[in-house]
Amino acid sequence: MSTIGAYFRLARVGWVLVREGVVSALPSQGLPPSVGLMKSLMEPLARKRSLKQARSERLTRAVDRLGPSYVKIGQFLATRPDVVGVDWAVDLALLQDRMAYFPTEAAKAAVEGSLGRPIADLYSFFGEPIAAASIAQVHPCTIGDRQVAVKVVRPGVRQRFAHDIESMYLLSRMQERFVPSSRRLKPVEVTRTLEQTTKVEMDLRLEAAALSEIAENTKGDPGFRVPQVDWERTGRDVLTMEWIDGIKMSDLAALRAAGHDLERLAEVLIQSFLRHTLRDGFFHADMHPGNLFVDAAGTVVAVDMGIVGRLGKKERRFLAEILYGFITRDYTRVAEVHFEAGYVPAHHDVAAFAQAIRAIGEPIHGQPAETISMARLLALLFEVTDLFEMQTRPELILLQKTMVVVEGVSRMLNPRFNMWKASEPVVGAWIRDNLGPKRVVSDLRDGLKAAVKLAEAVPEIAVKTEKFHQELLHMSEHGLRFDPETAEAIGRAEARHTRSGRVALWIIALSALYFAFTLG
């Protein structure tokens, strides 16, 4: 029944996208003939008013009809231009995460249920909501004479998302099965990443932990900080944190009126982001202007840590070398790093890949900073990665998306901002500290730790190896056999899959008729 429900929900999504003209906006070039025919048959069903709107407006209207889960899905897909294309990623990034408020009484009940204490014991004042998004809304509150911001998860959002993600899994499996060229992009893995990141975002204890970790990492950094967490009043469904009195970075007029240096703010922002990425391997991955404030002292304060990214030590080294290679125009080294990291299959030619990288990097140089389009550079990068069979790296895609957003905010503050010039001090210093003699010492220390752990694990490995050897001998003599429960489960799964396949087309056809008569 769960699979059947997913088919119905997927059919409804398709119908809404058709009616709001989103399907009509899809490019016909490159589509399989059968898909192109289906698209042309669906186009007359779009609302006439939708066809007069821009594609981003059609997307917004469709997502509004589909509900909060699809706002989050759309915003996540905006971080994956390798999957949806750069142009569509730009449109999806414009989706506004502003939803209707849910009642304050429901918010209070959620807080009391999460913390196990009455509101009166927790807060001296609990105000009406001032901001609402797809996952949670924010209330201004006070504890004694201290003002705080209280974030509360939207009631029922977990159940709604669990149902909607089933449809996404169904669609991604169909994509892998019927569109072989998409398998390189791993749509099922993309959906799994979406599911995991959204589950993390819906547990406000994890957001509090992210705020705490970044606060520790940045306590000595100039010009940047995050709000302090009130752990006593934080749980799965509620996050209490310091109230930020500041100016949103999107309000340029107010920033100028307050006497802030916009050029300095642009440099602080990009250099802080690069420090978090390279030094800490942990970065705020949703740094749009609505999540960035400037306080009275001119410090950048970042809020809303629901989406964060991590990079391992090896990935940070490769990233630094790639960035530094672009800055210094050493395209051969950039290409070699891609091969060393395993991003590009070894059967390709390094020199040919370096030539392709040069086509991406050269537009950065020899032009005024304000004419360099990072979105265009990313488009070229994804074309190159497709040409050289580069496998999708979700952590790098998230990093690239965040870098584009941060650069966009910096350029909003300073139209002549040159991200590459501003990046050089941080990237160059990290290269000198981590890719010289210090790297050798660090690698030796890490290798010694690994050798000690391996030595400690040797007895357990020996026992497991002996057990595995005995099992192999038993299988060679008696064959591989399933126990009755396993055989029965396989039979049930096969039968269910066959039934689902037979009824899928009927479900989609009937539900399309239903939505045509009831939702049109």
Side-chain angles (χ1 to χ4, degrees):
M1 292 302 295
S2 177
T3 302
I4 292 174
Y7 275 115
F8 271 111
R9 286 188 291 272
L10 189 58
R12 177 177 179 268
V13 172
W15 176 251
V16 171
L17 294 178
V18 167
R19 289 292 283 162
E20 298 303 336
V22 177
V23 171
S24 301
L26 291 170
S28 299
Q29 185 178 5
L31 291 177
S34 57
V35 178
L37 175 62
M38 183 66 70
K39 175 178 176 287
S40 62
L41 293 174
M42 292 293 184
E43 285 177 349
L45 299 176
R47 298 178 192 274
K48 296 294 186 289
R49 69 183 183 198
S50 297
L51 298 177
K52 298 177 183 178
Q53 296 173 327
R55 187 174 61 193
S56 58
E57 293 177 351
R58 302 184 199 184
L59 271 171
T60 299
R61 185 181 294 273
V63 168
D64 285 345
R65 286 184 62 180
L66 291 170
S69 294
Y70 286 92
V71 174
K72 188 53 58 183
I73 290 170
Q75 290 174 333
F76 174 81
L77 290 175
T79 71
R80 299 303 304 268
D82 59 323
V83 175
V84 298
V86 173
D87 292 339
W88 280 90
V90 170
D91 285 342
L92 288 166
L94 297 176
L95 288 175
Q96 296 298 306
D97 200 3
R98 292 196 293 265
M99 310 296 294
Y101 297 134
F102 58 87
T104 300
E105 290 307 313
K108 290 180 178 180
V111 172
E112 291 178 340
S114 184
L115 299 180
R117 294 166 61 187
I119 287 290
D121 288 353
L122 294 165
Y123 308 101
S124 51
F125 169 76
F126 195 97
E128 296 297 314
I130 57 171
S134 55
I135 299 295
Q137 70 182 25
V138 177
H139 297 257
C141 302
T142 57
I143 303 169
D145 59 354
R146 176 166 59 98
Q147 190 171 11
V148 293
V150 178
K151 188 173 182 178
V152 186
V153 169
R154 185 176 290 274
V157 70
R158 292 186 181 88
Q159 295 84 344
R160 178 68 183 271
F161 182 78
H163 287 137
D164 290 335
I165 199 68
E166 285 183 8
S167 303
M168 284 291 293
Y169 271 117
L170 176 61
L171 181 62
S172 60
R173 290 188 185 104
M174 292 170 63
Q175 185 180 354
E176 284 197 353
R177 181 175 181 182
F178 297 112
V179 187
S181 61
S182 72
R183 292 170 190 163
R184 180 184 71 90
L185 302 174
K186 305 177 183 176
V188 173
E189 185 177 315
V190 169
T191 305
R192 191 173 294 115
T193 303
L194 165 63
E195 180 182 25
Q196 180 61 28
T197 56
T198 307
K199 282 182 178 179
V200 168
E201 195 172 352
M202 289 188 288
D203 188 334
L204 297 185
R205 293 169 300 188
L206 299 179
E207 180 175 346
L211 281 166
S212 177
E213 183 174 349
I214 288 185
E216 272 188 25
N217 292 341
T218 61
K219 60 186 176 184
D221 290 358
F224 182 92
R225 71 182 185 93
V226 295
Q228 294 180 341
V229 175
D230 184 334
W231 283 101
E232 181 186 351
R233 295 168 178 82
T234 293
R236 189 181 74 148
D237 294 334
V238 56
L239 166 59
T240 302
M241 56 191 158
E242 171 192 0
W243 180 269
I244 299 300
D245 275 321
I247 303 170
K248 277 194 175 182
M249 236 179 210
S250 54
D251 193 346
L252 300 184
L255 289 172
R256 291 192 185 96
H260 294 299
D261 183 344
L262 270 58
E263 292 185 13
R264 186 192 70 83
L265 288 175
E267 284 197 5
V268 166
L269 184 62
I270 191 67
Q271 291 180 357
S272 296
F273 168 70
L274 286 169
R275 283 191 196 97
H276 307 162
T277 303
L278 293 174
R279 180 191 64 198
D280 310 324
F282 185 56
F283 59 93
H284 188 334
D286 196 19
M287 293 180 75
H288 62 75
N291 286 340
L292 298 168
F293 292 82
V294 181
D295 67 14
T299 300
V300 176
V301 186
V303 302
D304 194 355
M305 297 284 169
I307 304 175
V308 291
R310 288 191 184 274
L311 290 178
K313 193 171 184 180
K314 183 177 74 171
E315 285 76 21
R316 281 183 270 161
R317 285 178 177 171
F318 289 136
L319 169 67
E321 290 208 63
I322 289 169
L323 283 176
Y324 202 69
F326 273 118
I327 292 169
T328 60
R329 303 171 79 173
D330 188 352
Y331 303 119
T332 299
R333 181 57 192 151
V334 174
E336 289 171 349
V337 168
H338 277 77
F339 280 82
E340 290 171 11
Y343 298 158
V344 178
H347 63 266
H348 286 289
D349 181 56
V350 175
F353 189 66
Q355 180 183 351
I357 292 294
R358 179 179 291 274
I360 298 171
E362 281 304 296
I364 298 172
H365 302 279
Q367 292 188 34
E370 63 271 18
T371 68
I372 299 173
S373 168
M374 183 61 69
R376 178 58 184 156
L377 291 175
L378 282 181
L380 289 170
L381 178 61
F382 291 129
E383 289 173 13
V384 167
T385 58
D386 184 31
L387 186 64
F388 286 85
E389 304 174 272
M390 183 171 163
Q391 293 291 311
T392 293
R393 303 285 303 191
E395 72 279 10
L396 296 183
I397 296 296
L398 184 61
L399 175 69
Q400 288 169 337
K401 171 260 180 185
T402 309
M403 192 177 295
V404 172
V405 172
V406 172
E407 187 209 23
V409 177
S410 298
R411 186 160 291 165
M412 178 186 71
L413 295 166
N414 175 15
R416 298 187 64 82
F417 180 74
N418 186 331
M419 189 185 95
W420 305 99
K421 183 177 179 181
S423 301
E424 200 281 333
V426 176
V427 178
W430 196 91
I431 289 277
R432 289 188 292 274
D433 288 343
N434 292 273
L435 300 185
K438 287 185 179 180
R439 172 183 176 177
V440 177
V441 175
S442 176
D443 286 349
L444 286 172
R445 185 172 60 247
D446 291 345
L448 182 60
K449 288 180 181 177
V452 171
K453 288 182 179 179
L454 179 61
E456 291 172 347
V458 164
E460 184 180 352
I461 293 171
V463 171
K464 290 182 176 180
T465 303
E466 176 63 23
K467 183 179 178 181
F468 180 61
H469 175 66
Q470 295 297 331
E471 289 174 352
L472 282 178
L473 288 177
H474 185 271
M475 281 191 292
S476 66
E477 295 174 0
H478 303 285
L480 178 62
R481 297 180 183 276
F482 292 120
D483 60 64
E485 290 183 3
T486 302
E488 185 179 350
I490 292 172
R492 284 199 305 268
E494 286 296 319
R496 188 165 56 250
H497 177 75
T498 303
R499 286 196 302 272
S500 298
R502 284 199 301 266
V503 301
L505 292 177
W506 282 107
I507 290 172
I508 293 173
L510 290 173
S511 56
L513 288 173
Y514 168 77
F515 291 124
F517 285 110
T518 59
L519 300 180

